[in-house]
Amino acid sequence: KMSDVNHDNEKSEMVLKPHSQALIGQVLMALTTAAVTGFVAYKLNKAGLYTHFGQVIFCVMAGFALVSTIALVYLLNVMMSRRAQLTFEQGGMIDHLSLFSFGPISRQDIRKIKIDHHILFGTALAIYINPEGPAVRRLSILKGFLFLIYSLFFGGMIYFPLKWMGVTKHDSE
């Protein structure tokens, strides 16, 4: 009987870790966006089109390059960490994969989990955590402040891009 209980506990746990092939894709994305941004800036300057419209186009492209580079730095940080994983358990989850690394999060602290298609993250596992719950209160002052800013932009959802973990939408469901 005890082995059946242990077997059931093993079935109810799911561990997601970063996938090494995601790093290659993100490096290519960061290099491509930076190269295209530089090329557009060069062509705009050479053609004498550095008007307000040209500056807006350049700023938007530079923003994409910056976001792609930030994502690359975050992914490199995650890939170099030994503890980088997201574990779903019977009583909640343990987060050592997100930017905030919440640690243990109880089921009551998780408001919603869904598979979402996000413009920046692509197909991602989106987890909405109670902003006044114990997981957020345990954060350091700096991480708590960063989470507050992050929540303003992303509505309190923590996104885990599925392509970074080598998981498809079908696998995660």
Side-chain angles (χ1 to χ4, degrees), residues 41-59:
Y42 172 75
K43 287 295 187 180
L44 285 173
N45 192 26
K46 189 173 182 180
L49 295 175
Y50 248 152
T51 61
H52 290 296
F53 179 71
Q55 290 172 352
V56 167
I57 290 175
F58 174 73
C59 288

Side-chain angles (χ1 to χ4, degrees), residues 107-127:
R107 183 174 281 178
Q108 294 80 15
D109 218 10
I110 301 170
R111 292 217 173 141
K112 185 188 327 181
I113 297 178
K114 65 180 183 174
I115 303 294
D116 193 18
H117 186 74
H118 193 272
I119 192 165
L120 291 176
F121 304 114
T123 304
L125 179 66
I127 301 173

Side-chain angles (χ1 to χ4, degrees), residues 98 100 102 110-116 118 121 124-131 147 150-160:
S98 74
F100 306 103
F102 288 102
I110 301 170
R111 292 217 173 141
K112 185 188 327 181
I113 297 178
K114 65 180 183 174
I115 303 294
D116 193 18
H118 193 272
F121 304 114
L125 179 66
I127 301 173
Y128 182 70
I129 297 173
N130 181 2
F147 181 74
Y150 177 91
S151 293
L152 292 174
F153 289 103
F154 297 107
M157 288 284 206
I158 305 296
Y159 291 94
F160 299 94

